[in-house]
Amino acid sequence: MEHENVIEFLGQVPLLQRLPSSSHRKIADVVEVKHYESGEYVARDGEPVAGLCFIWDGQAEVSDPSNADDGNRLFLKKYDYFGHGSTGSTHQVNVVALSTLTCLILPNKYRCLLQPKSIWNADETPENFSLVEHILHLEPLDVNIFRGFTPPDAPAFKQVFGGQFIGQALAAASKTVDCFKRLHSLHATFILRGDNNVPIIYQVDRVRDGNNFATRTVEAKQHGSVIFTLIASFQKEQLGFEHQTASVPLVPSPETLLSMEELQERHMTDPRLPMEYRIRVASKKFVPWPIEIRFCEKYSTREESKPSFNYWFRARGKLSDDPALHRCVVAYASDLIFASVSLNPHRKGIIASALSLDHSMWFHRPMKADDWLLYVIESPTAYGGRGFVTGRMYNRKGELVVSLTQECRIRKVKDLQEPPKSKL
């Protein structure tokens, strides 16, 4: 039995899909292979549970000795499992092979491999994870249900950040497919505002599992209502035709650009800026973003400018190696500044707001989210209170790794300098 085949098999077992991809390799190293003939007992009622048993090939029947009703018969097939009790427990049913049966047994002494401290990393402790990895960590409640949180040290908004919805929902979807399939597209719809103080429940529907593609839909719920939906498609990596006509724009390298912290320091000390503005900047507490950003050009929310913008970004800190995590981090970061570019030509004399309505992404090539990526944003049109933006992300080699679109609600909040009101 080939080791890689065992890893791929384990990745198809729903119970194991929520584990870090590295855990599948560790489990593959220690599972034992057992064969049974048709009619042979695989497990007997009252016998100790020796380990967690996965059906590799064949079919088995589960029967409850205390209830002989044929209507309660249960059949097990490939990728099904039993014996998921605690160490020292006994079987409560009989399991009998209905055909030649091959099983993989994870002995009880290795059950710790089923309980990593993170869905992304089986080796490190959470204290060593970056902030964005903390944000994208979900608590598995069932094979298709996950719970997400807004950590207290995450950037504060009046509502849940749209990128958090996208990243966490994608994390939930990613943890229901095998690790050999990679996300290639997602389409998200924002329905209601999210509450930062309440956990978010992510319910995944396994729409399709094919040999090369898998499809998942995710509903995010708070207070009993669906507030966000996502559909994601995953593909097994394969060779194919390649071309790229999109060219990366000429921009300064990220190492030559100021960080957000350095920009704030400059705004507080620049004598050319009004004192009132400098005092206002200094009075605001600066909370470092989980994503490090370097603007390629001047950006202002109070001045008119062209409907386009470029910036470099990467995760703060080192991320775990799980490729699904890096896609989730890019999805999280993709909602930063994106919608607001559609407001650039309309900012003169007003304060305006942009609210994401829907969001689509296509992942063309692998990427590392803790290395610099260039985000190129354009807004070709706005109409009817809605702005439309497109985006492209390039790696340092100039390869197009992600394409994006988003529609958003845009509106004027108030005039920048309202005339004084009469007191009469």
Side-chain angles (χ1 to χ4, degrees), residues 11 13-21 23-24 81 84 114-116 118-120 137-146 171-172 174-177 206 322:
V13 178
L15 177 69
L16 305 181
Q17 288 172 340
R18 60 188 175 181
L19 301 178
S21 55
S23 292
H24 297 158
Y81 53 91
H84 189 41
L114 302 175
Q115 298 175 325
S118 166
I119 61 174
W120 302 117
H137 171 71
L138 303 178
E139 177 188 357
L141 302 179
D142 203 342
V143 291
N144 297 322
I145 304 174
F146 301 82
S174 299
K175 289 304 171 179
T176 64
V177 298
R206 299 169 183 256
D322 195 322

PDB file of all heavy atoms in Angstrom, residues 11 13-21 23-24 81 84 114-116 118-120 137-146 171-172 174-177 206 322:
ATOM      1  N   GLY A  11      -7.314  11.905   3.503  1.00  0.00           N
ATOM      2  CA  GLY A  11      -7.851  13.224   3.203  1.00  0.00           C
ATOM      3  C   GLY A  11      -9.294  13.205   2.741  1.00  0.00           C
ATOM      4  O   GLY A  11      -9.963  14.242   2.734  1.00  0.00           O
ATOM      5  N   VAL A  13     -11.559  11.248   4.259  1.00  0.00           N
ATOM      6  CA  VAL A  13     -12.388  10.891   5.416  1.00  0.00           C
ATOM      7  C   VAL A  13     -12.894  12.176   6.081  1.00  0.00           C
ATOM      8  O   VAL A  13     -12.097  12.983   6.553  1.00  0.00           O
ATOM      9  CB  VAL A  13     -11.574  10.049   6.426  1.00  0.00           C
ATOM     10  CG1 VAL A  13     -12.426   9.716   7.648  1.00  0.00           C
ATOM     11  CG2 VAL A  13     -11.067   8.770   5.763  1.00  0.00           C
ATOM     12  N   PRO A  14     -14.220  12.397   6.136  1.00  0.00           N
ATOM     13  CA  PRO A  14     -14.742  13.664   6.678  1.00  0.00           C
ATOM     14  C   PRO A  14     -14.218  14.017   8.057  1.00  0.00           C
ATOM     15  O   PRO A  14     -13.924  15.186   8.337  1.00  0.00           O
ATOM     16  CB  PRO A  14     -16.262  13.416   6.698  1.00  0.00           C
ATOM     17  CG  PRO A  14     -16.498  12.444   5.583  1.00  0.00           C
ATOM     18  CD  PRO A  14     -15.293  11.540   5.602  1.00  0.00           C
ATOM     19  N   LEU A  15     -14.064  13.020   8.936  1.00  0.00           N
ATOM     20  CA  LEU A  15     -13.589  13.295  10.289  1.00  0.00           C
ATOM     21  C   LEU A  15     -12.195  13.898  10.297  1.00  0.00           C
ATOM     22  O   LEU A  15     -11.849  14.701  11.170  1.00  0.00           O
ATOM     23  CB  LEU A  15     -13.591  11.989  11.101  1.00  0.00           C
ATOM     24  CG  LEU A  15     -13.048  12.076  12.534  1.00  0.00           C
ATOM     25  CD1 LEU A  15     -13.994  12.887  13.416  1.00  0.00           C
ATOM     26  CD2 LEU A  15     -12.840  10.676  13.115  1.00  0.00           C
ATOM     27  N   LEU A  16     -11.359  13.536   9.320  1.00  0.00           N
ATOM     28  CA  LEU A  16      -9.959  13.955   9.302  1.00  0.00           C
ATOM     29  C   LEU A  16      -9.708  15.215   8.488  1.00  0.00           C
ATOM     30  O   LEU A  16      -8.630  15.800   8.575  1.00  0.00           O
ATOM     31  CB  LEU A  16      -9.084  12.821   8.756  1.00  0.00           C
ATOM     32  CG  LEU A  16      -9.202  11.468   9.455  1.00  0.00           C
ATOM     33  CD1 LEU A  16      -8.251  10.460   8.820  1.00  0.00           C
ATOM     34  CD2 LEU A  16      -8.932  11.601  10.950  1.00  0.00           C
ATOM     35  N   GLN A  17     -10.676  15.643   7.704  1.00  0.00           N
ATOM     36  CA  GLN A  17     -10.451  16.783   6.813  1.00  0.00           C
ATOM     37  C   GLN A  17     -10.242  18.086   7.574  1.00  0.00           C
ATOM     38  O   GLN A  17      -9.625  19.020   7.057  1.00  0.00           O
ATOM     39  CB  GLN A  17     -11.617  16.910   5.831  1.00  0.00           C
ATOM     40  CG  GLN A  17     -11.612  15.809   4.781  1.00  0.00           C
ATOM     41  CD  GLN A  17     -12.853  15.798   3.919  1.00  0.00           C
ATOM     42  OE1 GLN A  17     -13.897  16.347   4.283  1.00  0.00           O
ATOM     43  NE2 GLN A  17     -12.765  15.168   2.758  1.00  0.00           N
ATOM     44  N   ARG A  18     -10.740  18.162   8.786  1.00  0.00           N
ATOM     45  CA  ARG A  18     -10.568  19.392   9.578  1.00  0.00           C
ATOM     46  C   ARG A  18      -9.184  19.498  10.203  1.00  0.00           C
ATOM     47  O   ARG A  18      -8.842  20.520  10.798  1.00  0.00           O
ATOM     48  CB  ARG A  18     -11.631  19.440  10.671  1.00  0.00           C
ATOM     49  CG  ARG A  18     -11.576  18.259  11.627  1.00  0.00           C
ATOM     50  CD  ARG A  18     -12.768  18.273  12.562  1.00  0.00           C
ATOM     51  NE  ARG A  18     -12.795  17.087  13.418  1.00  0.00           N
ATOM     52  CZ  ARG A  18     -13.761  16.860  14.302  1.00  0.00           C
ATOM     53  NH1 ARG A  18     -14.741  17.726  14.442  1.00  0.00           N
ATOM     54  NH2 ARG A  18     -13.733  15.770  15.047  1.00  0.00           N
ATOM     55  N   LEU A  19      -8.383  18.436  10.105  1.00  0.00           N
ATOM     56  CA  LEU A  19      -7.047  18.447  10.686  1.00  0.00           C
ATOM     57  C   LEU A  19      -6.067  19.199   9.795  1.00  0.00           C
ATOM     58  O   LEU A  19      -6.285  19.335   8.591  1.00  0.00           O
ATOM     59  CB  LEU A  19      -6.547  17.008  10.871  1.00  0.00           C
ATOM     60  CG  LEU A  19      -7.371  16.081  11.760  1.00  0.00           C
ATOM     61  CD1 LEU A  19      -6.746  14.688  11.769  1.00  0.00           C
ATOM     62  CD2 LEU A  19      -7.496  16.631  13.169  1.00  0.00           C
ATOM     63  N   PRO A  20      -4.952  19.685  10.349  1.00  0.00           N
ATOM     64  CA  PRO A  20      -3.883  20.236   9.512  1.00  0.00           C
ATOM     65  C   PRO A  20      -3.412  19.193   8.512  1.00  0.00           C
ATOM     66  O   PRO A  20      -3.413  17.992   8.802  1.00  0.00           O
ATOM     67  CB  PRO A  20      -2.786  20.589  10.518  1.00  0.00           C
ATOM     68  CG  PRO A  20      -3.481  20.693  11.838  1.00  0.00           C
ATOM     69  CD  PRO A  20      -4.623  19.739  11.788  1.00  0.00           C
ATOM     70  N   SER A  21      -3.026  19.633   7.321  1.00  0.00           N
ATOM     71  CA  SER A  21      -2.598  18.691   6.289  1.00  0.00           C
ATOM     72  C   SER A  21      -1.413  17.847   6.760  1.00  0.00           C
ATOM     73  O   SER A  21      -1.270  16.685   6.363  1.00  0.00           O
ATOM     74  CB  SER A  21      -2.245  19.446   4.995  1.00  0.00           C
ATOM     75  OG  SER A  21      -1.275  20.449   5.239  1.00  0.00           O
ATOM     76  N   SER A  23      -1.047  16.556   9.605  1.00  0.00           N
ATOM     77  CA  SER A  23      -1.536  15.465  10.449  1.00  0.00           C
ATOM     78  C   SER A  23      -1.838  14.220   9.632  1.00  0.00           C
ATOM     79  O   SER A  23      -1.704  13.096  10.134  1.00  0.00           O
ATOM     80  CB  SER A  23      -2.799  15.913  11.198  1.00  0.00           C
ATOM     81  OG  SER A  23      -2.502  16.912  12.145  1.00  0.00           O
ATOM     82  N   HIS A  24      -2.276  14.404   8.381  1.00  0.00           N
ATOM     83  CA  HIS A  24      -2.580  13.247   7.542  1.00  0.00           C
ATOM     84  C   HIS A  24      -1.329  12.403   7.323  1.00  0.00           C
ATOM     85  O   HIS A  24      -1.391  11.168   7.323  1.00  0.00           O
ATOM     86  CB  HIS A  24      -3.155  13.705   6.206  1.00  0.00           C
ATOM     87  CG  HIS A  24      -4.465  14.428   6.338  1.00  0.00           C
ATOM     88  ND1 HIS A  24      -4.945  15.293   5.385  1.00  0.00           N
ATOM     89  CD2 HIS A  24      -5.384  14.427   7.335  1.00  0.00           C
ATOM     90  CE1 HIS A  24      -6.097  15.788   5.770  1.00  0.00           C
ATOM     91  NE2 HIS A  24      -6.389  15.276   6.958  1.00  0.00           N
ATOM     92  N   TYR A  81     -16.077   5.223   9.029  1.00  0.00           N
ATOM     93  CA  TYR A  81     -15.210   4.886  10.158  1.00  0.00           C
ATOM     94  C   TYR A  81     -16.054   4.511  11.366  1.00  0.00           C
ATOM     95  O   TYR A  81     -17.248   4.843  11.460  1.00  0.00           O
ATOM     96  CB  TYR A  81     -14.278   6.049  10.497  1.00  0.00           C
ATOM     97  CG  TYR A  81     -14.998   7.364  10.723  1.00  0.00           C
ATOM     98  CD1 TYR A  81     -15.430   7.728  12.000  1.00  0.00           C
ATOM     99  CD2 TYR A  81     -15.258   8.228   9.665  1.00  0.00           C
ATOM    100  CE1 TYR A  81     -16.101   8.920  12.214  1.00  0.00           C
ATOM    101  CE2 TYR A  81     -15.937   9.420   9.866  1.00  0.00           C
ATOM    102  CZ  TYR A  81     -16.349   9.761  11.140  1.00  0.00           C
ATOM    103  OH  TYR A  81     -17.027  10.931  11.341  1.00  0.00           O
ATOM    104  N   HIS A  84     -14.791   5.637  17.184  1.00  0.00           N
ATOM    105  CA  HIS A  84     -14.354   6.988  17.544  1.00  0.00           C
ATOM    106  C   HIS A  84     -14.757   7.317  18.985  1.00  0.00           C
ATOM    107  O   HIS A  84     -15.213   8.408  19.287  1.00  0.00           O
ATOM    108  CB  HIS A  84     -14.962   8.006  16.575  1.00  0.00           C
ATOM    109  CG  HIS A  84     -14.415   9.397  16.734  1.00  0.00           C
ATOM    110  ND1 HIS A  84     -13.082   9.651  16.955  1.00  0.00           N
ATOM    111  CD2 HIS A  84     -15.025  10.606  16.712  1.00  0.00           C
ATOM    112  CE1 HIS A  84     -12.893  10.959  17.043  1.00  0.00           C
ATOM    113  NE2 HIS A  84     -14.057  11.561  16.917  1.00  0.00           N
ATOM    114  N   LEU A 114      -5.574  13.267  16.570  1.00  0.00           N
ATOM    115  CA  LEU A 114      -6.898  13.749  16.161  1.00  0.00           C
ATOM    116  C   LEU A 114      -7.279  15.043  16.867  1.00  0.00           C
ATOM    117  O   LEU A 114      -8.333  15.611  16.579  1.00  0.00           O
ATOM    118  CB  LEU A 114      -7.962  12.686  16.463  1.00  0.00           C
ATOM    119  CG  LEU A 114      -7.760  11.320  15.807  1.00  0.00           C
ATOM    120  CD1 LEU A 114      -8.832  10.345  16.294  1.00  0.00           C
ATOM    121  CD2 LEU A 114      -7.801  11.445  14.287  1.00  0.00           C
ATOM    122  N   GLN A 115      -6.426  15.518  17.782  1.00  0.00           N
ATOM    123  CA  GLN A 115      -6.777  16.688  18.582  1.00  0.00           C
ATOM    124  C   GLN A 115      -5.665  17.737  18.579  1.00  0.00           C
ATOM    125  O   GLN A 115      -5.109  18.081  19.630  1.00  0.00           O
ATOM    126  CB  GLN A 115      -7.097  16.270  20.016  1.00  0.00           C
ATOM    127  CG  GLN A 115      -8.290  15.332  20.115  1.00  0.00           C
ATOM    128  CD  GLN A 115      -8.517  14.824  21.518  1.00  0.00           C
ATOM    129  OE1 GLN A 115      -7.575  14.589  22.266  1.00  0.00           O
ATOM    130  NE2 GLN A 115      -9.773  14.661  21.899  1.00  0.00           N
ATOM    131  N   PRO A 116      -5.310  18.261  17.409  1.00  0.00           N
ATOM    132  CA  PRO A 116      -4.309  19.336  17.374  1.00  0.00           C
ATOM    133  C   PRO A 116      -4.894  20.610  17.974  1.00  0.00           C
ATOM    134  O   PRO A 116      -6.116  20.760  18.075  1.00  0.00           O
ATOM    135  CB  PRO A 116      -4.030  19.497  15.873  1.00  0.00           C
ATOM    136  CG  PRO A 116      -5.316  19.089  15.217  1.00  0.00           C
ATOM    137  CD  PRO A 116      -5.854  17.963  16.069  1.00  0.00           C
ATOM    138  N   SER A 118      -4.728  23.488  16.679  1.00  0.00           N
ATOM    139  CA  SER A 118      -5.137  24.402  15.612  1.00  0.00           C
ATOM    140  C   SER A 118      -5.527  23.585  14.392  1.00  0.00           C
ATOM    141  O   SER A 118      -4.988  22.500  14.163  1.00  0.00           O
ATOM    142  CB  SER A 118      -4.001  25.373  15.257  1.00  0.00           C
ATOM    143  OG  SER A 118      -4.263  26.040  14.034  1.00  0.00           O
ATOM    144  N   ILE A 119      -6.458  24.105  13.597  1.00  0.00           N
ATOM    145  CA  ILE A 119      -6.817  23.435  12.348  1.00  0.00           C
ATOM    146  C   ILE A 119      -5.744  23.637  11.287  1.00  0.00           C
ATOM    147  O   ILE A 119      -5.785  22.995  10.234  1.00  0.00           O
ATOM    148  CB  ILE A 119      -8.178  23.928  11.804  1.00  0.00           C
ATOM    149  CG1 ILE A 119      -8.131  25.440  11.494  1.00  0.00           C
ATOM    150  CG2 ILE A 119      -9.293  23.609  12.782  1.00  0.00           C
ATOM    151  CD1 ILE A 119      -9.386  25.971  10.814  1.00  0.00           C
ATOM    152  N   TRP A 120      -4.758  24.516  11.571  1.00  0.00           N
ATOM    153  CA  TRP A 120      -3.730  24.836  10.568  1.00  0.00           C
ATOM    154  C   TRP A 120      -2.371  24.237  10.881  1.00  0.00           C
ATOM    155  O   TRP A 120      -1.547  24.077   9.989  1.00  0.00           O
ATOM    156  CB  TRP A 120      -3.579  26.365  10.445  1.00  0.00           C
ATOM    157  CG  TRP A 120      -4.822  27.084  10.078  1.00  0.00           C
ATOM    158  CD1 TRP A 120      -5.494  28.010  10.823  1.00  0.00           C
ATOM    159  CD2 TRP A 120      -5.578  26.939   8.876  1.00  0.00           C
ATOM    160  NE1 TRP A 120      -6.606  28.458  10.170  1.00  0.00           N
ATOM    161  CE2 TRP A 120      -6.679  27.817   8.956  1.00  0.00           C
ATOM    162  CE3 TRP A 120      -5.430  26.159   7.729  1.00  0.00           C
ATOM    163  CZ2 TRP A 120      -7.628  27.943   7.940  1.00  0.00           C
ATOM    164  CZ3 TRP A 120      -6.372  26.275   6.717  1.00  0.00           C
ATOM    165  CH2 TRP A 120      -7.458  27.152   6.825  1.00  0.00           C
ATOM    166  N   HIS A 137      -8.539  30.847  12.650  1.00  0.00           N
ATOM    167  CA  HIS A 137      -8.722  29.565  13.324  1.00  0.00           C
ATOM    168  C   HIS A 137     -10.195  29.390  13.676  1.00  0.00           C
ATOM    169  O   HIS A 137     -10.829  30.303  14.218  1.00  0.00           O
ATOM    170  CB  HIS A 137      -7.889  29.480  14.594  1.00  0.00           C
ATOM    171  CG  HIS A 137      -8.212  28.267  15.426  1.00  0.00           C
ATOM    172  ND1 HIS A 137      -7.867  26.989  15.042  1.00  0.00           N
ATOM    173  CD2 HIS A 137      -8.899  28.143  16.595  1.00  0.00           C
ATOM    174  CE1 HIS A 137      -8.300  26.128  15.945  1.00  0.00           C
ATOM    175  NE2 HIS A 137      -8.925  26.802  16.900  1.00  0.00           N
ATOM    176  N   LEU A 138     -10.751  28.240  13.367  1.00  0.00           N
ATOM    177  CA  LEU A 138     -12.145  27.937  13.678  1.00  0.00           C
ATOM    178  C   LEU A 138     -12.210  26.768  14.646  1.00  0.00           C
ATOM    179  O   LEU A 138     -11.329  25.904  14.669  1.00  0.00           O
ATOM    180  CB  LEU A 138     -12.926  27.584  12.407  1.00  0.00           C
ATOM    181  CG  LEU A 138     -12.937  28.616  11.280  1.00  0.00           C
ATOM    182  CD1 LEU A 138     -13.719  28.072  10.085  1.00  0.00           C
ATOM    183  CD2 LEU A 138     -13.548  29.929  11.752  1.00  0.00           C
ATOM    184  N   GLU A 139     -13.272  26.739  15.425  1.00  0.00           N
ATOM    185  CA  GLU A 139     -13.514  25.616  16.335  1.00  0.00           C
ATOM    186  C   GLU A 139     -14.455  24.627  15.646  1.00  0.00           C
ATOM    187  O   GLU A 139     -15.616  24.959  15.376  1.00  0.00           O
ATOM    188  CB  GLU A 139     -14.143  26.125  17.632  1.00  0.00           C
ATOM    189  CG  GLU A 139     -14.486  25.018  18.611  1.00  0.00           C
ATOM    190  CD  GLU A 139     -15.281  25.533  19.792  1.00  0.00           C
ATOM    191  OE1 GLU A 139     -15.515  26.761  19.884  1.00  0.00           O
ATOM    192  OE2 GLU A 139     -15.689  24.693  20.617  1.00  0.00           O
ATOM    193  N   PRO A 140     -13.984  23.409  15.323  1.00  0.00           N
ATOM    194  CA  PRO A 140     -14.878  22.422  14.700  1.00  0.00           C
ATOM    195  C   PRO A 140     -15.920  21.936  15.710  1.00  0.00           C
ATOM    196  O   PRO A 140     -15.583  21.479  16.797  1.00  0.00           O
ATOM    197  CB  PRO A 140     -13.936  21.284  14.291  1.00  0.00           C
ATOM    198  CG  PRO A 140     -12.548  21.870  14.346  1.00  0.00           C
ATOM    199  CD  PRO A 140     -12.611  22.908  15.424  1.00  0.00           C
ATOM    200  N   LEU A 141     -17.204  22.060  15.357  1.00  0.00           N
ATOM    201  CA  LEU A 141     -18.285  21.561  16.203  1.00  0.00           C
ATOM    202  C   LEU A 141     -18.816  20.224  15.702  1.00  0.00           C
ATOM    203  O   LEU A 141     -19.332  19.423  16.465  1.00  0.00           O
ATOM    204  CB  LEU A 141     -19.430  22.581  16.254  1.00  0.00           C
ATOM    205  CG  LEU A 141     -19.069  23.974  16.767  1.00  0.00           C
ATOM    206  CD1 LEU A 141     -20.301  24.879  16.745  1.00  0.00           C
ATOM    207  CD2 LEU A 141     -18.487  23.908  18.170  1.00  0.00           C
ATOM    208  N   ASP A 142     -18.708  20.004  14.406  1.00  0.00           N
ATOM    209  CA  ASP A 142     -19.099  18.763  13.745  1.00  0.00           C
ATOM    210  C   ASP A 142     -18.318  18.716  12.438  1.00  0.00           C
ATOM    211  O   ASP A 142     -17.578  19.657  12.124  1.00  0.00           O
ATOM    212  CB  ASP A 142     -20.607  18.742  13.504  1.00  0.00           C
ATOM    213  CG  ASP A 142     -21.155  17.329  13.350  1.00  0.00           C
ATOM    214  OD1 ASP A 142     -20.349  16.411  13.099  1.00  0.00           O
ATOM    215  OD2 ASP A 142     -22.382  17.141  13.463  1.00  0.00           O
ATOM    216  N   VAL A 143     -18.494  17.656  11.650  1.00  0.00           N
ATOM    217  CA  VAL A 143     -17.713  17.570  10.414  1.00  0.00           C
ATOM    218  C   VAL A 143     -18.075  18.678   9.429  1.00  0.00           C
ATOM    219  O   VAL A 143     -17.271  19.024   8.559  1.00  0.00           O
ATOM    220  CB  VAL A 143     -17.883  16.189   9.740  1.00  0.00           C
ATOM    221  CG1 VAL A 143     -17.232  15.107  10.571  1.00  0.00           C
ATOM    222  CG2 VAL A 143     -19.352  15.866   9.483  1.00  0.00           C
ATOM    223  N   ASN A 144     -19.275  19.263   9.536  1.00  0.00           N
ATOM    224  CA  ASN A 144     -19.702  20.311   8.608  1.00  0.00           C
ATOM    225  C   ASN A 144     -20.038  21.627   9.306  1.00  0.00           C
ATOM    226  O   ASN A 144     -20.570  22.542   8.665  1.00  0.00           O
ATOM    227  CB  ASN A 144     -20.931  19.851   7.807  1.00  0.00           C
ATOM    228  CG  ASN A 144     -20.636  18.653   6.925  1.00  0.00           C
ATOM    229  OD1 ASN A 144     -19.564  18.560   6.343  1.00  0.00           O
ATOM    230  ND2 ASN A 144     -21.577  17.726   6.847  1.00  0.00           N
ATOM    231  N   ILE A 145     -19.764  21.738  10.597  1.00  0.00           N
ATOM    232  CA  ILE A 145     -20.133  22.938  11.351  1.00  0.00           C
ATOM    233  C   ILE A 145     -18.911  23.454  12.110  1.00  0.00           C
ATOM    234  O   ILE A 145     -18.225  22.688  12.802  1.00  0.00           O
ATOM    235  CB  ILE A 145     -21.287  22.662  12.335  1.00  0.00           C
ATOM    236  CG1 ILE A 145     -22.505  22.092  11.591  1.00  0.00           C
ATOM    237  CG2 ILE A 145     -21.688  23.935  13.067  1.00  0.00           C
ATOM    238  CD1 ILE A 145     -23.637  21.668  12.510  1.00  0.00           C
ATOM    239  N   PHE A 146     -18.664  24.763  11.988  1.00  0.00           N
ATOM    240  CA  PHE A 146     -17.505  25.390  12.627  1.00  0.00           C
ATOM    241  C   PHE A 146     -17.959  26.681  13.312  1.00  0.00           C
ATOM    242  O   PHE A 146     -18.949  27.304  12.919  1.00  0.00           O
ATOM    243  CB  PHE A 146     -16.428  25.713  11.595  1.00  0.00           C
ATOM    244  CG  PHE A 146     -15.923  24.506  10.846  1.00  0.00           C
ATOM    245  CD1 PHE A 146     -16.617  24.002   9.754  1.00  0.00           C
ATOM    246  CD2 PHE A 146     -14.744  23.878  11.225  1.00  0.00           C
ATOM    247  CE1 PHE A 146     -16.165  22.896   9.060  1.00  0.00           C
ATOM    248  CE2 PHE A 146     -14.278  22.764  10.537  1.00  0.00           C
ATOM    249  CZ  PHE A 146     -14.989  22.276   9.456  1.00  0.00           C
ATOM    250  N   ALA A 171     -12.157  29.092   5.243  1.00  0.00           N
ATOM    251  CA  ALA A 171     -11.487  28.126   6.122  1.00  0.00           C
ATOM    252  C   ALA A 171     -12.411  26.956   6.423  1.00  0.00           C
ATOM    253  O   ALA A 171     -11.991  25.789   6.393  1.00  0.00           O
ATOM    254  CB  ALA A 171     -11.044  28.815   7.420  1.00  0.00           C
ATOM    255  N   ALA A 172     -13.683  27.250   6.700  1.00  0.00           N
ATOM    256  CA  ALA A 172     -14.650  26.184   6.962  1.00  0.00           C
ATOM    257  C   ALA A 172     -14.803  25.281   5.750  1.00  0.00           C
ATOM    258  O   ALA A 172     -14.791  24.045   5.870  1.00  0.00           O
ATOM    259  CB  ALA A 172     -15.995  26.788   7.354  1.00  0.00           C
ATOM    260  N   SER A 174     -12.642  24.842   3.313  1.00  0.00           N
ATOM    261  CA  SER A 174     -11.370  24.144   3.061  1.00  0.00           C
ATOM    262  C   SER A 174     -11.194  22.942   3.977  1.00  0.00           C
ATOM    263  O   SER A 174     -10.533  21.968   3.601  1.00  0.00           O
ATOM    264  CB  SER A 174     -10.191  25.106   3.255  1.00  0.00           C
ATOM    265  OG  SER A 174     -10.260  26.196   2.360  1.00  0.00           O
ATOM    266  N   LYS A 175     -11.783  23.009   5.165  1.00  0.00           N
ATOM    267  CA  LYS A 175     -11.642  21.915   6.124  1.00  0.00           C
ATOM    268  C   LYS A 175     -12.723  20.843   5.958  1.00  0.00           C
ATOM    269  O   LYS A 175     -12.966  20.050   6.869  1.00  0.00           O
ATOM    270  CB  LYS A 175     -11.651  22.474   7.549  1.00  0.00           C
ATOM    271  CG  LYS A 175     -10.380  23.242   7.888  1.00  0.00           C
ATOM    272  CD  LYS A 175      -9.138  22.375   7.685  1.00  0.00           C
ATOM    273  CE  LYS A 175      -7.839  23.127   7.790  1.00  0.00           C
ATOM    274  NZ  LYS A 175      -6.655  22.248   7.618  1.00  0.00           N
ATOM    275  N   THR A 176     -13.357  20.831   4.771  1.00  0.00           N
ATOM    276  CA  THR A 176     -14.281  19.739   4.434  1.00  0.00           C
ATOM    277  C   THR A 176     -13.897  19.093   3.097  1.00  0.00           C
ATOM    278  O   THR A 176     -14.682  18.317   2.548  1.00  0.00           O
ATOM    279  CB  THR A 176     -15.736  20.243   4.343  1.00  0.00           C
ATOM    280  OG1 THR A 176     -15.860  21.184   3.273  1.00  0.00           O
ATOM    281  CG2 THR A 176     -16.176  20.887   5.648  1.00  0.00           C
ATOM    282  N   VAL A 177     -12.710  19.420   2.573  1.00  0.00           N
ATOM    283  CA  VAL A 177     -12.220  18.785   1.340  1.00  0.00           C
ATOM    284  C   VAL A 177     -10.839  18.197   1.618  1.00  0.00           C
ATOM    285  O   VAL A 177     -10.175  18.579   2.583  1.00  0.00           O
ATOM    286  CB  VAL A 177     -12.138  19.782   0.151  1.00  0.00           C
ATOM    287  CG1 VAL A 177     -13.503  20.336  -0.187  1.00  0.00           C
ATOM    288  CG2 VAL A 177     -11.166  20.908   0.449  1.00  0.00           C
ATOM    289  N   ARG A 206     -21.737  20.009   1.583  1.00  0.00           N
ATOM    290  CA  ARG A 206     -20.846  19.312   0.637  1.00  0.00           C
ATOM    291  C   ARG A 206     -21.623  19.066  -0.659  1.00  0.00           C
ATOM    292  O   ARG A 206     -22.148  17.975  -0.888  1.00  0.00           O
ATOM    293  CB  ARG A 206     -20.353  18.006   1.249  1.00  0.00           C
ATOM    294  CG  ARG A 206     -19.546  18.201   2.531  1.00  0.00           C
ATOM    295  CD  ARG A 206     -19.313  16.869   3.244  1.00  0.00           C
ATOM    296  NE  ARG A 206     -18.596  17.075   4.489  1.00  0.00           N
ATOM    297  CZ  ARG A 206     -17.305  16.804   4.671  1.00  0.00           C
ATOM    298  NH1 ARG A 206     -16.587  16.275   3.688  1.00  0.00           N
ATOM    299  NH2 ARG A 206     -16.723  17.029   5.834  1.00  0.00           N
ATOM    300  N   ASP A 322       0.337  25.198   5.814  1.00  0.00           N
ATOM    301  CA  ASP A 322      -0.851  24.681   5.136  1.00  0.00           C
ATOM    302  C   ASP A 322      -1.234  25.593   3.970  1.00  0.00           C
ATOM    303  O   ASP A 322      -1.548  26.769   4.175  1.00  0.00           O
ATOM    304  CB  ASP A 322      -2.012  24.600   6.133  1.00  0.00           C
ATOM    305  CG  ASP A 322      -3.157  23.741   5.631  1.00  0.00           C
ATOM    306  OD1 ASP A 322      -3.444  23.793   4.415  1.00  0.00           O
ATOM    307  OD2 ASP A 322      -3.766  23.023   6.446  1.00  0.00           O
TER     308      ASP A 322
END
